[in-house]
Amino acid sequence: MPSPLITLTTDFGRTAPYVAVMKGVILSINPAATIVDLTHEIRPQDVRHASYFLRTAVPYFPAGTVHVCVVDPGVGSERAALCVETPEQVLVGPDNGVFTGVIRRLGCRAAGALTAPPFWRAPSPSATFHGRDIFAPVAAHLSLGVGREEVAPGKFDPMLLPARCAVTFGKRWSGEVQFVDDFGNLITNIPACKMKGLPVRVSLGGAELGTVRWVRTYSEAAPGELVSLFSSDGYFEIAEVNGNAARKLKVDAGVVVELEQP
């Protein structure tokens, strides 16, 4: 039976050798491992970006996949190293909130801190490269059939990032921009499936945008026009056609969004 997939998500970029080093460690332990690069372009130290990315990507992978995430501004500090089991997949990485989105979407069946040095690359890992010395070797052992409770014995409550819940008051919605993609589209946490009507007025961070036209696709509006629509993963989105709404409006993730519906 083939080994489960091992995916890698980091903020290491394209030219540094760190990803190659992690792959070498994994293949040295499990030469038959299948390694899939999800992205190495997470914005540097942006735990919130990593959380949204994984929340969106992980559910589409087959059961048994081992996901490694190294977006770790606190490496070498007192933050724990973590192994989380969702109902069907396994996550390995720092306990700094990177798995918040996945846990909230898929649930956490069990979690433990990585406190078993026999599954590390060395008993005394580097203070600055836990991806090489802890996360990669642990993922490789998991892919060989080692159980979560062996690499991360005991129980642990993973850190979860704070979030502003999307709530409705009559014909008004309040939420936040949960992610800004590379096109500058503002993806909110307001679910399309729960909206009873299309929004008429939009405000961001308390600043009124006025009426923002709703479209089904970007092609329905002219270049440069600010529009609202439903994103591919089912949330209310604000975009500038052939432009960058985040740059135009000078906003980023975390900004409060308020909608008024007809």
Side-chain angles (χ1 to χ4, degrees):
M1 183 176 180
S3 298
L5 297 176
I6 298 175
T7 78
L8 301 179
T9 299
T10 77
D11 57 357
F12 293 164
R14 300 181 181 180
T15 59
Y18 311 129
V19 175
V21 168
M22 289 177 60
K23 290 181 178 180
V25 169
I26 291 169
L27 293 172
S28 295
I29 296 170
N30 182 1
T34 299
I35 304 172
V36 178
D37 296 291
L38 299 193
T39 184
H40 301 295
E41 301 295 328
I42 297 294
R43 294 157 199 154
Q45 293 87 50
D46 193 337
V47 173
R48 186 185 182 104
H49 181 186
S51 172
Y52 177 84
F53 182 94
L54 293 171
R55 177 200 177 281
T56 304
V58 164
Y60 293 93
F61 278 79
T65 300
V66 179
H67 299 278
V68 180
C69 180
V70 190
V71 177
D72 197 9
V75 62
S77 70
E78 293 300 313
R79 72 98 182 93
L82 194 63
C83 182
V84 176
E85 289 182 284
T86 74
E88 294 189 336
Q89 306 190 47
V90 182
L91 315 169
V92 177
D95 181 40
N96 60 8
V98 290
F99 299 132
T100 299
V102 177
I103 290 171
R104 286 179 173 153
R105 180 169 179 176
L106 299 182
C108 175
R109 185 169 64 183
L114 298 174
T115 56
F119 299 103
W120 302 353
R121 180 173 170 270
S124 300
S126 162
T128 59
F129 199 178
H130 287 184
R132 176 193 66 193
D133 294 344
I134 299 178
F135 303 137
V138 164
H141 286 294
L142 289 168
S143 75
L144 288 171
V146 174
R148 193 277 309 166
E149 64 281 355
E150 296 179 71
V151 301
K155 296 181 180 180
F156 193 89
D157 292 325
M159 173 186 170
L160 298 179
L161 298 174
R164 180 187 178 92
C165 295
V167 294
T168 182
F169 305 95
K171 295 184 178 181
R172 296 180 66 90
W173 272 97
S174 178
E176 67 177 3
V177 175
Q178 63 173 327
F179 182 63
V180 179
D181 67 18
D182 289 344
F183 297 101
N185 299 329
L186 309 177
I187 301 172
T188 77
N189 66 338
I190 299 174
C193 64
K194 294 186 179 180
M195 296 182 67
K196 298 178 181 179
L198 301 179
V200 175
R201 299 183 64 83
V202 179
S203 71
L204 290 173
E208 291 286 342
L209 300 185
T211 301
V212 179
R213 184 160 76 98
W214 186 88
V215 297
R216 189 177 60 86
T217 69
Y218 305 106
S219 62
E220 294 178 14
E225 184 177 355
L226 199 67
V227 297
S228 62
L229 67 161
F230 295 150
S231 70
S232 60
D233 53 349
Y235 291 98
F236 177 79
E237 173 185 325
I238 300 168
E240 181 185 13
V241 178
N242 294 354
N244 187 304
R247 186 165 56 237
K248 180 174 185 175
L249 300 172
K250 297 181 174 60
V251 298
D252 205 344
V255 169
V256 175
V257 179
E258 293 183 331
L259 311 178
E260 183 180 347
Q261 301 178 293

